Short mmCIF file of all heavy atoms in Angstrom, two decimals:
data_model
loop_
_atom_site.label_atom_id
_atom_site.label_comp_id
_atom_site.label_asym_id
_atom_site.label_seq_id
_atom_site.Cartn_x
_atom_site.Cartn_y
_atom_site.Cartn_z
N PHE A 269 38.66 15.50 -81.07
CA PHE A 269 37.22 15.20 -81.05
C PHE A 269 36.85 14.48 -79.76
O PHE A 269 37.71 14.01 -79.02
CB PHE A 269 36.88 14.31 -82.25
CG PHE A 269 37.11 14.99 -83.58
CD1 PHE A 269 38.37 15.00 -84.16
CD2 PHE A 269 36.07 15.64 -84.23
CE1 PHE A 269 38.59 15.63 -85.37
CE2 PHE A 269 36.28 16.29 -85.45
CZ PHE A 269 37.55 16.28 -86.02
N SER A 270 35.53 14.34 -79.55
CA SER A 270 35.04 13.76 -78.30
C SER A 270 35.17 12.25 -78.26
O SER A 270 34.98 11.64 -77.21
CB SER A 270 33.59 14.17 -78.08
OG SER A 270 32.83 13.80 -79.22
N SER A 271 35.49 11.61 -79.38
CA SER A 271 35.75 10.17 -79.38
C SER A 271 36.45 9.84 -80.70
O SER A 271 36.47 10.67 -81.63
CB SER A 271 34.45 9.35 -79.26
OG SER A 271 33.70 9.45 -80.46
N GLY A 272 36.97 8.64 -80.77
CA GLY A 272 37.56 8.19 -82.04
C GLY A 272 36.51 8.17 -83.13
O GLY A 272 36.77 8.59 -84.27
N MET A 273 35.31 7.68 -82.81
CA MET A 273 34.25 7.63 -83.82
C MET A 273 33.87 9.02 -84.32
O MET A 273 33.54 9.19 -85.49
CB MET A 273 33.00 6.89 -83.28
CG MET A 273 33.16 5.38 -83.16
SD MET A 273 33.96 4.55 -84.56
CE MET A 273 32.94 5.07 -85.93
N ALA A 274 33.90 10.02 -83.43
CA ALA A 274 33.59 11.39 -83.86
C ALA A 274 34.65 11.86 -84.87
O ALA A 274 34.32 12.54 -85.86
CB ALA A 274 33.53 12.32 -82.66
N ALA A 275 35.91 11.48 -84.63
CA ALA A 275 36.97 11.85 -85.58
C ALA A 275 36.76 11.15 -86.92
O ALA A 275 36.91 11.76 -87.99
CB ALA A 275 38.34 11.48 -84.99
N ILE A 276 36.39 9.87 -86.86
CA ILE A 276 36.19 9.10 -88.09
C ILE A 276 34.98 9.64 -88.85
O ILE A 276 35.01 9.78 -90.08
CB ILE A 276 36.03 7.59 -87.75
CG1 ILE A 276 37.36 7.06 -87.18
CG2 ILE A 276 35.59 6.79 -88.96
CD1 ILE A 276 37.27 5.69 -86.51
N ASN A 294 38.88 -5.32 -92.75
CA ASN A 294 39.04 -5.76 -91.36
C ASN A 294 39.19 -4.55 -90.44
O ASN A 294 39.98 -4.56 -89.50
CB ASN A 294 40.30 -6.65 -91.28
CG ASN A 294 40.18 -7.68 -90.20
OD1 ASN A 294 39.37 -7.54 -89.27
ND2 ASN A 294 40.97 -8.72 -90.28
N ILE A 295 38.43 -3.49 -90.75
CA ILE A 295 38.57 -2.27 -89.94
C ILE A 295 37.73 -2.38 -88.67
O ILE A 295 36.90 -3.27 -88.52
CB ILE A 295 38.19 -1.00 -90.72
CG1 ILE A 295 36.80 -1.15 -91.34
CG2 ILE A 295 39.25 -0.67 -91.77
CD1 ILE A 295 36.29 0.11 -92.01
N TYR A 296 37.96 -1.44 -87.76
CA TYR A 296 37.27 -1.39 -86.46
C TYR A 296 35.75 -1.52 -86.65
O TYR A 296 35.17 -0.89 -87.54
CB TYR A 296 37.62 -0.05 -85.80
CG TYR A 296 36.97 0.15 -84.47
CD1 TYR A 296 37.37 -0.60 -83.37
CD2 TYR A 296 35.96 1.09 -84.31
CE1 TYR A 296 36.75 -0.41 -82.14
CE2 TYR A 296 35.35 1.28 -83.07
CZ TYR A 296 35.76 0.52 -82.00
OH TYR A 296 35.15 0.70 -80.78
N GLY A 297 35.12 -2.31 -85.78
CA GLY A 297 33.69 -2.60 -85.90
C GLY A 297 32.82 -1.36 -85.91
O GLY A 297 31.85 -1.28 -86.65
N GLY A 298 33.17 -0.38 -85.08
CA GLY A 298 32.38 0.85 -85.03
C GLY A 298 32.46 1.62 -86.34
O GLY A 298 31.49 2.28 -86.75
N THR A 299 33.60 1.52 -87.01
CA THR A 299 33.75 2.20 -88.31
C THR A 299 32.86 1.51 -89.34
O THR A 299 32.21 2.17 -90.15
CB THR A 299 35.23 2.18 -88.75
OG1 THR A 299 36.04 2.64 -87.66
CG2 THR A 299 35.46 3.05 -89.95
N TYR A 337 40.68 4.02 -97.18
CA TYR A 337 40.65 4.13 -95.72
C TYR A 337 41.03 2.77 -95.14
O TYR A 337 40.40 1.77 -95.44
CB TYR A 337 39.23 4.51 -95.27
CG TYR A 337 39.06 4.61 -93.77
CD1 TYR A 337 38.90 5.85 -93.16
CD2 TYR A 337 39.06 3.47 -92.96
CE1 TYR A 337 38.75 5.95 -91.78
CE2 TYR A 337 38.92 3.57 -91.59
CZ TYR A 337 38.77 4.81 -91.00
OH TYR A 337 38.63 4.91 -89.65
N GLU A 339 43.41 0.43 -91.75
CA GLU A 339 44.22 0.36 -90.53
C GLU A 339 45.48 -0.43 -90.87
O GLU A 339 45.37 -1.57 -91.30
CB GLU A 339 43.42 -0.33 -89.41
CG GLU A 339 42.18 0.45 -89.02
CD GLU A 339 41.21 -0.31 -88.11
OE1 GLU A 339 41.59 -1.34 -87.53
OE2 GLU A 339 40.06 0.14 -88.00
N ILE A 341 47.52 -1.95 -89.15
CA ILE A 341 47.64 -3.19 -88.40
C ILE A 341 46.24 -3.50 -87.88
O ILE A 341 45.62 -2.67 -87.24
CB ILE A 341 48.73 -3.07 -87.31
CG1 ILE A 341 48.92 -4.39 -86.58
CG2 ILE A 341 48.46 -2.00 -86.31
CD1 ILE A 341 50.33 -4.52 -86.00
N THR A 342 45.74 -4.69 -88.25
CA THR A 342 44.31 -4.94 -88.01
C THR A 342 44.06 -5.56 -86.65
O THR A 342 44.96 -6.09 -86.01
CB THR A 342 43.72 -5.86 -89.09
OG1 THR A 342 44.37 -7.14 -89.01
CG2 THR A 342 43.85 -5.26 -90.47
N ASN A 343 42.81 -5.53 -86.29
CA ASN A 343 42.31 -5.98 -85.00
C ASN A 343 41.30 -7.09 -85.26
O ASN A 343 40.37 -6.87 -86.02
CB ASN A 343 41.65 -4.76 -84.35
CG ASN A 343 40.89 -5.09 -83.11
OD1 ASN A 343 41.14 -6.08 -82.47
ND2 ASN A 343 39.95 -4.22 -82.77
N ASP A 368 43.94 4.92 -89.99
CA ASP A 368 43.62 4.86 -88.56
C ASP A 368 44.86 4.30 -87.85
O ASP A 368 45.18 3.13 -87.97
CB ASP A 368 42.40 3.95 -88.35
CG ASP A 368 41.99 3.82 -86.88
OD1 ASP A 368 42.85 4.03 -86.00
OD2 ASP A 368 40.81 3.49 -86.63
N ASN A 369 45.56 5.17 -87.12
CA ASN A 369 46.85 4.82 -86.52
C ASN A 369 46.73 4.54 -85.02
O ASN A 369 47.69 4.69 -84.26
CB ASN A 369 47.85 5.97 -86.77
CG ASN A 369 49.30 5.58 -86.50
OD1 ASN A 369 49.66 4.41 -86.56
ND2 ASN A 369 50.13 6.57 -86.18
N THR A 370 45.53 4.14 -84.59
CA THR A 370 45.28 3.92 -83.16
C THR A 370 46.23 2.89 -82.55
O THR A 370 46.73 3.08 -81.44
CB THR A 370 43.82 3.42 -82.98
OG1 THR A 370 42.93 4.41 -83.46
CG2 THR A 370 43.51 3.12 -81.53
N PHE A 371 46.48 1.78 -83.26
CA PHE A 371 47.24 0.68 -82.67
C PHE A 371 48.73 0.99 -82.53
O PHE A 371 49.37 0.51 -81.61
CB PHE A 371 47.06 -0.61 -83.49
CG PHE A 371 45.90 -1.46 -83.02
CD1 PHE A 371 44.63 -0.91 -82.87
CD2 PHE A 371 46.08 -2.79 -82.71
CE1 PHE A 371 43.57 -1.68 -82.43
CE2 PHE A 371 45.02 -3.58 -82.26
CZ PHE A 371 43.76 -3.03 -82.13
N LEU A 388 44.27 9.39 -88.36
CA LEU A 388 43.34 9.60 -87.25
C LEU A 388 43.57 8.56 -86.17
O LEU A 388 44.21 7.53 -86.38
CB LEU A 388 41.90 9.61 -87.75
CG LEU A 388 41.37 8.41 -88.52
CD1 LEU A 388 40.87 7.34 -87.58
CD2 LEU A 388 40.24 8.86 -89.44
N HIS A 389 43.02 8.86 -84.98
CA HIS A 389 43.21 8.02 -83.81
C HIS A 389 41.96 7.93 -82.97
O HIS A 389 41.26 8.93 -82.82
CB HIS A 389 44.24 8.65 -82.85
CG HIS A 389 45.63 8.60 -83.34
ND1 HIS A 389 46.48 7.58 -83.03
CD2 HIS A 389 46.32 9.43 -84.16
CE1 HIS A 389 47.65 7.79 -83.61
NE2 HIS A 389 47.58 8.91 -84.31
N SER A 390 41.77 6.78 -82.37
CA SER A 390 40.99 6.73 -81.14
C SER A 390 42.01 7.02 -80.04
O SER A 390 42.77 6.14 -79.64
CB SER A 390 40.36 5.36 -80.93
OG SER A 390 39.87 5.32 -79.59
N ALA A 391 42.03 8.27 -79.58
CA ALA A 391 42.97 8.65 -78.52
C ALA A 391 42.53 8.11 -77.17
O ALA A 391 43.22 8.28 -76.16
CB ALA A 391 43.14 10.17 -78.49
N THR A 392 41.35 7.47 -77.17
CA THR A 392 40.87 6.73 -75.99
C THR A 392 41.88 5.63 -75.62
O THR A 392 41.92 5.20 -74.49
CB THR A 392 39.52 6.06 -76.36
OG1 THR A 392 38.68 7.05 -76.95
CG2 THR A 392 38.84 5.45 -75.16
N LYS A 393 42.65 5.17 -76.60
CA LYS A 393 43.53 4.03 -76.42
C LYS A 393 44.93 4.51 -76.00
O LYS A 393 45.07 5.08 -74.94
CB LYS A 393 43.55 3.20 -77.70
CG LYS A 393 42.16 2.99 -78.34
CD LYS A 393 41.24 2.13 -77.52
CE LYS A 393 39.79 2.13 -78.02
NZ LYS A 393 39.58 1.81 -79.42
N ILE A 401 39.66 8.59 -70.39
CA ILE A 401 38.99 9.55 -71.29
C ILE A 401 38.61 8.87 -72.60
O ILE A 401 39.19 7.85 -72.97
CB ILE A 401 39.89 10.77 -71.67
CG1 ILE A 401 41.22 10.31 -72.29
CG2 ILE A 401 40.09 11.68 -70.51
CD1 ILE A 401 41.94 11.40 -73.06
N MET A 402 37.63 9.47 -73.27
CA MET A 402 37.37 9.15 -74.67
C MET A 402 37.82 10.36 -75.48
O MET A 402 37.52 11.51 -75.10
CB MET A 402 35.89 8.92 -74.93
CG MET A 402 35.35 7.75 -74.18
SD MET A 402 34.07 6.90 -75.11
CE MET A 402 35.01 6.13 -76.40
N ALA A 403 38.53 10.11 -76.57
CA ALA A 403 38.98 11.21 -77.41
C ALA A 403 39.32 10.69 -78.80
O ALA A 403 39.63 9.51 -78.97
CB ALA A 403 40.21 11.89 -76.79
N GLY A 404 39.25 11.58 -79.77
CA GLY A 404 39.64 11.23 -81.14
C GLY A 404 40.53 12.33 -81.68
O GLY A 404 40.45 13.48 -81.24
N ILE A 405 41.41 11.95 -82.60
CA ILE A 405 42.35 12.91 -83.18
C ILE A 405 42.37 12.74 -84.70
O ILE A 405 42.31 11.62 -85.21
CB ILE A 405 43.78 12.68 -82.62
CG1 ILE A 405 43.87 13.09 -81.15
CG2 ILE A 405 44.84 13.40 -83.46
CD1 ILE A 405 43.79 14.58 -80.89
N SER A 521 38.46 -2.53 -75.28
CA SER A 521 39.42 -1.42 -75.32
C SER A 521 40.85 -1.96 -75.20
O SER A 521 41.07 -3.17 -75.03
CB SER A 521 39.15 -0.36 -74.25
OG SER A 521 39.82 0.84 -74.62
N LEU A 522 41.78 -1.05 -75.35
CA LEU A 522 43.20 -1.44 -75.42
C LEU A 522 44.04 -0.19 -75.20
O LEU A 522 43.53 0.92 -75.10
CB LEU A 522 43.49 -2.05 -76.81
CG LEU A 522 43.09 -1.18 -78.00
CD1 LEU A 522 44.28 -0.52 -78.66
CD2 LEU A 522 42.36 -2.02 -79.04
N ARG A 556 42.14 -11.89 -77.39
CA ARG A 556 42.99 -10.71 -77.65
C ARG A 556 43.47 -10.13 -76.32
O ARG A 556 42.66 -9.93 -75.41
CB ARG A 556 42.21 -9.65 -78.42
CG ARG A 556 43.09 -8.46 -78.83
CD ARG A 556 42.28 -7.33 -79.41
NE ARG A 556 41.65 -6.55 -78.35
CZ ARG A 556 40.74 -5.59 -78.57
NH1 ARG A 556 40.36 -5.30 -79.78
NH2 ARG A 556 40.22 -4.92 -77.56
C1 PLP B 730 38.51 2.12 -80.37
C2 PLP B 730 38.82 2.31 -81.80
C3 PLP B 730 38.11 3.23 -82.60
C4 PLP B 730 36.93 4.02 -82.06
O1 PLP B 730 37.31 4.96 -81.12
P1 PLP B 730 36.41 5.43 -79.87
O2 PLP B 730 37.33 6.32 -79.13
O3 PLP B 730 36.00 4.18 -79.15
O4 PLP B 730 35.22 6.14 -80.43
C5 PLP B 730 38.50 3.40 -83.91
N1 PLP B 730 39.52 2.69 -84.43
C6 PLP B 730 40.20 1.78 -83.71
C7 PLP B 730 41.32 1.03 -84.35
C8 PLP B 730 39.88 1.55 -82.37
O5 PLP B 730 40.55 0.64 -81.67
#
Side-chain angles (χ1 to χ4, degrees):
F269 296 84
S270 55
S271 71
M273 287 316 305
I276 294 167
N294 210 340
I295 53 174
Y296 179 70
T299 311
Y337 178 108
E339 297 169 15
I341 184 154
T342 64
N343 171 22
D368 180 336
N369 194 25
T370 299
F371 269 53
L388 57 85
H389 288 267
S390 168
T392 310
K393 317 293 169 53
I401 55 163
M402 297 214 71
I405 289 290
S521 198
L522 54 104
R556 186 189 79 189

